[in-house]
Amino acid sequence: ERMVRVESANGNVHYYEGEQGAERMVRMELADGSVQSFEGERGAERLVRKGLLSGTVLHYEGERGVERLVRMELADDGGVEHYEGESGAERLSRAEFANGEEVQYYEGEGGAERMV
């Protein structure tokens, strides 16, 4: 039979698509309420999107295991943050406000960014 869903003891639920023997993970619902979306063939699935319980959505690019955050859509104010850098060393580079009237630019290493 074809695998379509796996429930882990930790509360995570994994969803799969594809033909029998080539099923690939496309979605994971985590116990904390967040939902992750994946793309790619079996064994090479990579994280492309993570929706948080708060409504904030994170977007990722890169190969499996080295996915990097590139954009965050903020639920609280509707703004969008853009990130640059390699996986684990992402840094905020630009913040766009929901009103479309203001954009802030940042420089510096991740965790020590400063507006310029």
Side-chain angles (χ1 to χ4, degrees):
E1 292 186 25
R2 187 171 69 88
M3 180 173 50
V4 295
R5 177 177 159 152
V6 173
E7 296 181 14
S8 301
N10 63 7
N12 295 345
V13 181
H14 308 249
Y15 294 89
Y16 295 83
E17 291 180 357
E19 298 299 318
Q20 184 176 352
E23 300 96 333
R24 63 192 183 284
M25 185 168 54
V26 294
R27 179 182 170 99
M28 183 173 22
E29 296 175 356
L30 284 78
D32 66 6
S34 61
V35 177
Q36 297 181 346
S37 299
F38 296 84
E39 292 180 356
E41 296 303 313
R42 181 179 183 152
E45 301 98 326
R46 62 194 180 282
L47 178 65
V48 294
R49 184 179 185 276
K50 182 175 184 179
L52 305 179
L53 195 55
S54 66
T56 292
V57 178
L58 293 78
H59 296 269
Y60 296 85
E61 292 179 358
E63 296 302 312
R64 179 180 183 156
V66 291
E67 299 95 329
R68 63 191 181 281
L69 178 65
V70 294
R71 189 173 79 245
M72 186 182 311
E73 299 168 0
L74 305 171
D76 58 351
D77 64 8
V80 178
E81 295 180 347
H82 298 268
Y83 293 82
E84 295 177 356
E86 297 301 315
S87 178
E90 299 94 336
R91 64 173 191 82
L92 177 64
S93 61
R94 187 173 83 233
E96 300 172 356
F97 290 80
N99 63 15
E101 296 178 13
E102 186 175 348
V103 177
Q104 295 176 341
Y105 295 90
Y106 294 83
E107 289 182 349
E109 298 297 316
E113 299 95 330
R114 64 190 178 285
M115 192 169 40
V116 292

